Amino acid sequence: MRETTKQAVTKQRSSARQTRERPVPLAVNPGHDRVPSTEVAVPRSTKIIAVLVLVLIGLRLDLPLGITVGYLAAAALIPLWLPTLGRYPGALTLVLVGFVAVGSGIWLSVLAAPTHVIVTSELAGNSIGLAGLLCSFGFVLWTRSVLPDSWVALWFGLGLLGSVTTDNARFFDNPWRFGFSFALTVVILAIAHILDRRWFDLFAVLGLTVLSMITDARSSFAILLLTLILVAWQMRPTSRLRSLRVRSGAGVVVAIGVLAIVVYNLGQAAIVAGLLGEATRARTIDQLNTAGSLILGGRPELAATASLMAHQSYGFGAGTLLNPTDLLAAKTGMASISYDPDNGYVENYMFGGNIELHSVLGDLWARFGIPGFLLAVVILFLVLRGVGAAVAANRASGILLFLVVNTVWVFFFGPLYTAARLLILVLALTLIRKGPVLPRPAHRRVAALFPFGKSPKTATRD
C-alpha cells in the first residue's frame, strides 16, 4: 500500500513538472499565422483597438509634416507593443537601426547646410515618416498576439482599399493599375488565407495574374506570376518527391532568386510577343532599344543611384537638395545607359523639391546615409529569412508570398513613400516568433476565426 502511494505521488510530480516545462503551443498555418495559446482570453476591447489602428495605418490619413493618424495612434501605443519586439528575433535590431537612421538623416542635413539647400518641411516629413513606419511596424507585430495573421492582413488590406483615390491623373485610364491593384490583391489573398485551402490561394493568384496581364500592369503581372509559381510549388506531393524538397531557408531564397530570373525572361518574351497587348509591347521594345535592358530602360533611376553613391557614398540628408555638382553626377549616370536626363523628369520629379531615387534602397541611403543603407539591408534580410523558413516548411501562404515578392521589387524599383505600408505589413508578418512550432491543424472552421467574441481557450486557432 505504501509503495503504491509512493508511486502515485512520483507520477503526479512528474506530470506536474512536464506541464510546467511544456512549451506554449502555437497553431501554425501557411503564412506563419500563429496566435499563442493562453489561459487568459483576449479582451474584446483589445481586439477592437487592434482592428481600428490596423485600418488607420492602412488608410494613411495624412496630417502636416508627414504625420498620419495611424502613425500617431501607433506612437501613442508604444507601451503596448514595445515588449513584443523582444519576442521576435531581429525586431528590436530593426527598430534601433531605424531610429539611428532618423538621427543620421538630421545630422547629414546639418552638415550639408553650407553647400546645399535644406528644405525644413522635407527634413521633418522624411524623419517623421521613417519614425512612423517603425512605430507602425511595432504595433502591427503586436496585433499578431491578439488576432490571427490572416485577419491582420485583411483588416490592414481594408484600410489600404479605403485609401484608394482618383487623384492620380491616370486613374481613369487604368483604374486597376493605378488604383486598386495592390489593395484588392491584399484583401483577396487575405480572404483566401482565412479559408485555408491551397486551391483558394492558387485560383485567387491565378485570377489576379490574368487581370494584371490584360490591364497593362507589367510589374504586377511579373510579381503575381512568380507568386503563382511559388504557391503551386508548395502544392506538390512532397511524399513522393522527397529528393526535390528544399529544407534550407537559404536554399529556398537562392531557388526563388533563380526562379525570378526565369520569370523575368519568360515575361519579357511574352511581352515582346505581344501577349500583354500592343501598347505594352511597343513601350517595352523602346526601353530595350534605349538601355539594352528592360529593367534599366524602365527604371533609369537605378543608374542615377549608382552614380550618386560613387559621387558621395555617405548620403545627403533627410532634408537636403542636390546642388548642381550632385545633379550633374546623377545625370551623367543616367546618360550612360542612353537615357536622356534633360527631359524635365529628373529636375522636376526626382530632384525638384526632394531626392527621389524611386527605390527603397536608394531613398533610405540618400536621405539617411549609411545607417539608412544598413536599415535597408536589415529589412531585406529579415523578409527573406522569414519567407525562406516558411517555404522550406511548406507553410507560406499566397498573401505572404505576394507581399515578399512585392517587397523585393520595391526594394530596388519602388519609392519609399509608396512602399511604406507594404514594408510595415510584410515585416510584421514575416518575422518568426521565438519558441517551438507545432504542425498546423488539418482543418479549421472559418467561422471560428472571426476575431471578436470567442475566447482563445475555445476558439479554433489560426
Side-chain angles (χ1 to χ4, degrees):
M1 181 68 177
R2 182 180 301 172
E3 185 66 25
T4 303
T5 304
K6 183 177 181 181
Q7 289 177 353
V9 171
T10 303
K11 185 176 181 181
Q12 290 175 356
R13 289 177 177 175
S14 175
S15 176
R17 182 169 59 254
Q18 291 176 1
T19 301
R20 288 196 303 270
E21 294 175 353
R22 185 179 301 122
V24 177
L26 296 172
V28 182
N29 74 7
H32 292 297
D33 209 356
R34 48 183 78 177
V35 177
S37 294
T38 176
E39 291 301 318
V40 181
V42 177
R44 180 175 297 189
S45 58
T46 301
K47 294 182 179 181
I48 292 174
I49 291 173
V51 169
L52 287 177
V53 180
L54 277 172
V55 173
L56 285 174
I57 294 172
L59 274 172
R60 190 159 66 186
L61 301 174
D62 290 320
L63 299 172
L65 299 178
I67 303 172
T68 72
V69 175
Y71 287 173
L72 281 178
L77 294 170
I78 285 177
L80 183 67
W81 57 258
L82 188 60
T84 305
L85 300 181
R87 302 171 196 160
Y88 294 85
L92 186 58
T93 299
L94 174 71
V95 172
L96 290 176
V97 172
F99 278 104
V100 169
V102 172
S104 173
I106 297 171
W107 179 65
L108 285 173
S109 294
V110 173
L111 288 182
T115 56
H116 294 72
V117 174
I118 308 299
V119 181
T120 305
S121 59
E122 280 296 307
L123 177 62
N126 288 326
S127 301
I128 292 172
L130 182 55
L133 186 156
L134 296 169
C135 290
S136 298
F137 153 72
F139 179 83
V140 178
L141 191 65
W142 168 80
T143 63
R144 293 179 61 187
S145 65
V146 296
L147 299 173
D149 288 9
S150 51
W151 284 93
V152 171
L154 179 59
W155 288 116
F156 197 99
L158 290 174
L160 292 171
L161 191 59
S163 70
V164 175
T165 67
T166 60
D167 293 344
N168 191 324
R170 294 183 289 180
F171 176 86
F172 293 103
D173 295 332
N174 194 332
W176 174 255
R177 180 183 175 190
F178 299 110
F180 296 105
S181 175
F182 179 69
L184 266 182
T185 299
V186 171
V187 170
I188 291 171
L189 293 184
I191 293 173
H193 187 25
I194 291 171
L195 297 176
D196 192 32
R197 291 293 180 271
R198 289 287 191 194
W199 289 106
F200 291 134
D201 261 353
L202 186 68
F203 285 119
V205 178
L206 177 61
L208 291 164
T209 303
V210 173
L211 183 58
S212 294
M213 182 178 69
I214 63 178
T215 54
D216 191 26
R218 292 182 303 179
S219 58
S220 294
F221 168 71
I223 289 167
L224 286 164
L225 179 60
L226 181 55
T227 303
L228 178 66
I229 294 172
L230 292 172
V231 170
W233 169 254
Q234 292 190 114
M235 296 176 67
R236 71 199 187 281
T238 53
S239 59
R240 300 180 182 178
L241 300 174
R242 292 183 184 274
S243 61
L244 296 180
R245 295 184 68 179
V246 182
R247 298 182 181 274
S248 165
V252 167
V253 172
V254 172
I256 292 175
V258 172
L259 182 60
I261 295 173
V262 173
V263 169
Y264 167 75
N265 285 284
L266 289 176
Q268 179 175 296
I271 292 172
V272 172
L275 297 182
L276 273 68
E278 187 57 34
T280 305
R281 176 179 178 274
R283 188 169 78 252
T284 300
I285 290 177
D286 179 62
Q287 291 170 348
L288 287 171
N289 291 336
T290 299
S293 164
L294 181 58
I295 290 178
L296 287 177
R299 290 292 185 268
E301 299 90 348
L302 286 175
T305 302
S307 183
L308 286 173
M309 284 183 170
H311 168 68
Q312 187 163 302
S313 59
Y314 54 85
F316 295 91
T320 307
L321 300 186
L322 298 190
N323 62 24
T325 303
D326 304 327
L327 185 59
L328 179 61
K331 286 187 173 184
T332 300
M334 301 177 84
S336 68
I337 60 169
S338 301
Y339 177 86
D340 178 17
D342 296 317
N343 57 5
Y345 173 76
V346 176
E347 289 90 346
N348 297 330
Y349 174 74
M350 292 180 64
F351 309 120
N354 59 357
I355 298 178
E356 178 53 73
L357 294 175
H358 214 279
S359 73
V360 169
L361 176 64
D363 289 346
L364 284 174
W365 164 78
R367 298 171 189 174
F368 305 103
I370 301 300
F373 184 90
L374 180 60
L375 175 62
V377 172
V378 171
I379 289 172
L380 188 62
F381 170 77
L382 292 177
V383 169
L384 292 181
R385 184 186 67 176
V387 75
V391 174
N394 249 25
R395 290 190 173 108
S397 62
I399 179 65
L400 182 70
L401 292 168
F402 168 74
L403 291 172
V404 169
V405 175
N406 221 312
T407 299
V408 175
W409 173 262
V410 301
F411 188 81
F412 298 102
F413 312 119
L416 177 61
Y417 177 77
T418 56
R421 289 175 292 177
L422 166 64
L423 295 178
I424 291 167
L425 183 59
V426 74
L427 281 167
L429 293 183
T430 53
L431 288 189
I432 304 169
R433 185 184 175 94
K434 294 178 182 177
V437 176
L438 296 181
R440 62 180 285 227
H443 177 68
R444 68 175 184 269
R445 298 187 303 277
V446 174
L449 287 178
F450 193 74
F452 301 115
K454 282 200 178 271
S455 165
K457 294 167 60 177
T458 59
T460 303
R461 292 315 180 106
D462 196 44

